[in-house]
């Protein structure tokens, strides 16, 4: 297979990005940035990029992975409001980037803990907030397949918030991931006493073993081993983003722009599950084996019967230029192989 243009985002030399997309410490006043999470994958890379750009970075997590040298580390459980408030004593930030907010309870704690301590708060959210299968009737608008999904299809200002649900239960939280993210956005939008922005990320790929979800590795192993891949008969396309590109977008959102509300974060170009598998098949030299599942049946990751493929026009209009999925996906597959 001809692997043209397989460099991941951020390694280009051709200047195809718009002005303002790549931030540089040489052109910016250093910011005081707090990252909640930041211990793995694109969150870890974000911390590295912030530090390399000259920003003063504080990382808050439970201490499983230390941050780079020169980055302040507060070891505290964000779910423990008293401990979080105590750890923040005497500190203030220009911006907080919350990588690990999954529930309205966590959002409410953060609102109280960071009010008066930051001017801006950026939450990493997800494409899953648009999934109509996980939403209450009327909570998510729907569009015809093929229509890019804009940010206004989910308006957190009017969404329900239920802090009395069992969000502390890990199994419940995982099963209600999209709902938790929608409600967290709603809490920040309605209660936050700071400028609030959220980045709704597409499905993240790239990084080889750093990609902890294992979804790309799942396909690589199945294609290489000649094992069945379960797909829907009319699987619809979705959108993806390279983990480095997402880290760069979060860096931009935190330090180079002041937008509020939601932006969608996805590379250019739609792919369905068979398109993804075709790239893997081209590199392994193996023919994929498919098994078609009935409507509503359980299928492999990225096989979708529902349309909610995002558009990225708002982020582009604000100054961020995206790469093309087709350019970086072969390299991401090569890493997984």
């Amino acid at each position: 297979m001809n692997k043209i243009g397989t460099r991941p985002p951020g390694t280009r030399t051709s200047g195809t990005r718009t002005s303002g997309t790549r931030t540089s410490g040489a052109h910016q006043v250093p910011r005081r940035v707090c990252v909640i999470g930041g211990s793995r994958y694109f969150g870890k890379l974000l911390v590295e990029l912030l530090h390399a750009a000259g920003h003063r970075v504080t990382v808050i997590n439970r201490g499983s992975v230390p941050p780079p040298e020169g980055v302040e580390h507060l070891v505290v459980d964000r779910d423990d409001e008293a401990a979080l408030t105590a750890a923040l004593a005497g500190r203030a930030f220009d911006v907080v980037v919350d990588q690990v907010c999954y529930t309205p309870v966590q959002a409410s704690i953060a609102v109280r803990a960071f009010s008066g301590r930051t001017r801006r708060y950026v939450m990493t959210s997800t494409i899953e907030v648009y999934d109509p299968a996980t939403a209450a009737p009327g909570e998510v608008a729907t569009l015809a397949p093929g229509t890019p999904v804009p940010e206004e299809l989910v308006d957190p200002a009017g969404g329900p918030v239920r802090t009395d649900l069992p969000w502390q239960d890990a199994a419940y939280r995982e099963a209600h991931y999209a709902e938790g993210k929608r409600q967290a956005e709603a809490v920040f939008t309605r209660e936050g006493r700071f400028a609030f922005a959220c980045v709704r990320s597409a499905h993240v790929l790239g990084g080889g073993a750093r990609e902890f979800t294992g979804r790309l590795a799942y396909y690589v192993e199945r294609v290489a081993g000649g094992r069945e891949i379960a797909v829907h008969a009319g699987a619809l396309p979705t959108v993806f983003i390279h983990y480095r590109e997402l880290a760069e977008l979060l860096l931009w959102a935190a330090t180079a722009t002041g937008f509020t509300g939601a932006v969608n974060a996805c590379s250019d170009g739609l792919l369905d599950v068979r398109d993804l598998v075709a790239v893997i098949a081209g590199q392994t030299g193996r023919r994929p084996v498919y098994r078609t599942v009935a409507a509503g049946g359980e299928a492999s990751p990225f096989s979708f019967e529902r349309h909610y493929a995002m558009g990225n026009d708002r982020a582009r209009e604000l100054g961020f230029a995206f790469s093309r999925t087709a350019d970086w996906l072969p390299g991401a597959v090569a890493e997984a192989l």
Side-chain angles (χ1 to χ4, degrees):
M1 180 175 182
N2 186 11
K3 301 179 186 177
I4 298 175
T6 58
R7 293 191 200 91
T11 62
R12 295 184 176 188
T13 58
S14 59
T16 57
R17 303 277 184 166
T18 59
S19 175
T21 299
R22 295 294 172 261
T23 55
S24 168
H27 303 292
Q28 287 190 306
V29 175
R31 306 288 183 90
R32 296 167 297 174
V33 184
C34 176
V35 178
I36 306 177
S39 63
R40 61 181 180 178
Y41 207 29
F42 60 85
K44 182 178 181 180
L45 180 56
L46 169 64
V47 172
E48 294 169 357
L49 293 175
L50 285 164
H51 182 56
H55 300 291
R56 289 175 286 172
V57 186
T58 296
V59 169
I60 293 176
N61 57 36
R62 289 177 294 185
S64 58
V65 179
E69 185 177 351
V71 171
E72 182 183 35
H73 191 195
L74 302 181
V75 179
V76 62
D77 186 343
R78 65 161 308 148
D79 295 332
D80 186 335
E81 184 171 356
L84 178 60
T85 302
L88 292 172
R91 292 177 171 83
F93 308 98
D94 296 303
V95 61
V96 175
V97 184
D98 195 338
Q99 295 283 80
V100 289
C101 186
Y102 302 113
T103 75
V105 175
Q106 292 176 326
S108 295
I109 290 172
V111 165
R112 292 189 291 269
F114 285 97
S115 288
R117 299 186 191 278
T118 187
R119 298 196 298 265
R120 179 170 173 78
Y121 202 102
V122 179
M123 171 189 161
T124 303
S125 192
T126 172
I127 186 176
E128 301 300 333
V129 301
Y130 298 114
D131 185 354
T134 65
E139 188 178 358
V140 175
T142 57
L143 293 174
T147 305
V149 174
E151 289 83 358
E152 57 266 26
L153 247 66
V154 170
D155 179 11
V161 172
R162 291 285 307 278
T163 56
D164 58 325
L165 297 174
W167 294 113
Q168 72 283 356
D169 180 76
Y172 181 89
R173 193 165 58 242
E174 182 176 355
H176 297 81
Y177 173 72
E179 180 184 356
K181 285 288 192 180
R182 281 192 292 266
Q183 292 194 26
E185 287 187 22
V187 169
F188 283 123
T189 300
R190 300 205 293 251
E191 301 177 15
R193 293 184 284 278
F194 33 63
F196 173 64
C198 64
V199 173
R200 293 172 178 165
S201 171
H203 309 292
V204 189
L205 298 177
R210 290 183 290 267
E211 198 270 285
F212 65 92
T213 70
R215 291 176 296 189
L216 187 55
Y218 166 90
Y219 282 109
V220 167
E221 291 166 3
R222 287 194 167 262
V223 173
R227 299 166 62 191
E228 277 188 348
I229 298 169
V231 298
H232 296 104
L236 295 172
T238 188
V239 284
F240 298 89
I241 191 166
H242 191 275
Y243 86 105
R244 175 170 287 275
E245 185 163 44
L246 181 54
E248 291 170 344
L249 189 146
L250 289 165
L251 172 67
W252 166 81
T255 64
T257 182
F259 75 89
T260 57
V263 296
N264 294 335
C266 56
S267 301
D268 292 335
L270 297 173
L271 279 81
D272 64 28
V273 64
R274 292 176 185 267
D275 296 328
L276 175 65
V277 171
V279 176
I280 299 169
Q283 294 200 33
T284 60
R286 300 293 300 272
R287 184 186 298 274
V289 179
Y290 292 111
R291 176 175 59 84
T292 302
V293 301
E298 185 174 350
S300 299
F302 309 134
S303 181
F304 297 108
E305 297 180 288
R306 307 171 303 281
H307 170 72
Y308 55 106
M310 302 185 299
N312 59 19
D313 286 350
R314 187 179 187 221
R316 188 185 303 283
E317 290 165 0
L318 287 166
F320 192 90
F322 290 93
S323 66
R324 295 174 63 248
T325 302
D327 287 342
W328 58 255
L329 182 57
V333 170
E335 287 181 297
L337 283 167

